[in-house]
Amino acid sequence: MPSRTTDDHGPIRFGYHGSSALVRSLIRDAGFDDTGFLLREYDVIDPFRALRAGELDVMSVKFRVDEPDLAVSPVLAHDARAAVVAAGHPLAGRESVSIEELADYEAFDRPGRMPAYVWDEVVPPRTPSGRPIRRCHQVSTIAEMMRLVAGSTAVHISLASLAEVAPPQVAVVPIHDLPSAPVAVAWRRAEPLTERVRAFVEGVRRGDGER
């Protein structure tokens, strides 16, 4: 069983999903050396499970997170919105697309225990003009999503940082009329923090990395 606490001489266990480069940037912007952190990708099906179980010390969160047992830092960065599409998709060669255009294609539904209020910000149920977005497909990993997109006309309404992990068979196209996702750091509200984790949390609470 993983330890519920971090040894003050060991690395801080930092959960992330998608882009590790963004997380490393947050750590450095807050004035810390990223070699003192152990990055672990968390499961999007149940995104807060590992943090709540004590398997992580902190985790990156995107969009609004309102979980009573979790504390959340100020906004530290923003991740632009983008559509993940097949390399041969009609929208793949565009400089940017509108969310209204994406309603023409099947999109992705909420995975597992991902809170519905978060997913509604990731993949809105309707466009600003009121067109329904068909949230048809459900996958459990980024790799699964990429494979499904690569072999179909489905679109994943997501984040520009996924370009870091996208295979050649898919394209990541900016969405010009959705606001960027705020990025922050979360930790367990009630658990005592080790000295090293507390120092990092205090740094991000001050918004040292805000940009």
Side-chain angles (χ1 to χ4, degrees):
M1 291 287 291
S3 170
R4 286 193 58 85
T5 59
T6 292
D7 184 334
D8 238 1
H9 300 290
I12 295 173
R13 301 165 301 176
F14 198 138
Y16 75 98
H17 181 71
S19 171
S20 63
L22 179 59
V23 169
R24 293 181 192 280
S25 178
L26 293 182
I27 292 169
R28 291 193 296 268
D29 286 351
F32 291 80
D33 183 348
D34 64 7
T35 60
F37 291 76
L38 177 62
L39 301 189
R40 293 179 175 173
E41 190 161 14
Y42 59 77
D43 189 349
V44 72
I45 292 179
D46 195 356
F48 307 124
R49 186 207 63 78
L51 183 63
R52 286 171 169 152
E55 297 166 12
L56 297 172
D57 301 303
V58 295
M59 66 181 286
S60 65
V61 294
K62 299 177 183 179
F63 302 97
R64 176 181 61 89
V65 170
D66 185 14
E67 301 292 310
D69 60 328
L70 302 183
V72 181
S73 75
V75 174
L76 303 174
H78 288 86
D79 198 351
R81 303 307 307 277
V84 182
V85 299
H89 194 281
L91 301 177
R94 298 274 296 277
E95 289 188 5
S96 70
V97 294
S98 167
I99 185 63
E100 302 291 342
E101 297 174 276
L102 297 176
D104 292 337
Y105 302 94
E106 293 180 350
F108 284 75
D109 203 357
R110 177 170 66 101
R113 296 182 181 179
M114 168 74 72
Y117 73 89
V118 176
W119 195 252
D120 282 349
E121 294 193 51
V122 181
V123 181
R126 294 185 176 273
T127 71
S129 74
R131 295 186 67 194
I133 292 177
R134 293 173 290 155
R135 302 192 287 190
C136 305
H137 303 289
Q138 192 171 61
V139 295
S140 57
T141 67
I142 289 178
E144 280 185 82
M145 178 273 293
M146 296 284 187
R147 284 194 296 269
L148 194 155
V149 162
S152 71
T153 59
V155 302
H156 182 37
I157 300 165
S158 189
L159 299 162
S161 60
L162 282 185
E164 179 196 344
V165 295
Q169 296 86 355
V170 307
V172 180
V173 185
I175 302 171
H176 58 249
D177 51 359
L178 282 183
S180 296
V183 183
V185 171
W187 58 93
R188 297 182 301 278
R189 190 182 296 277
E191 289 283 332
L193 302 175
T194 67
E195 184 176 344
R196 295 182 70 246
V197 175
R198 185 182 303 110
F200 177 68
V201 163
E202 288 304 316
V204 296
R205 267 181 171 155
R206 291 193 299 270
D208 289 347
E210 190 167 359
R211 51 194 170 95

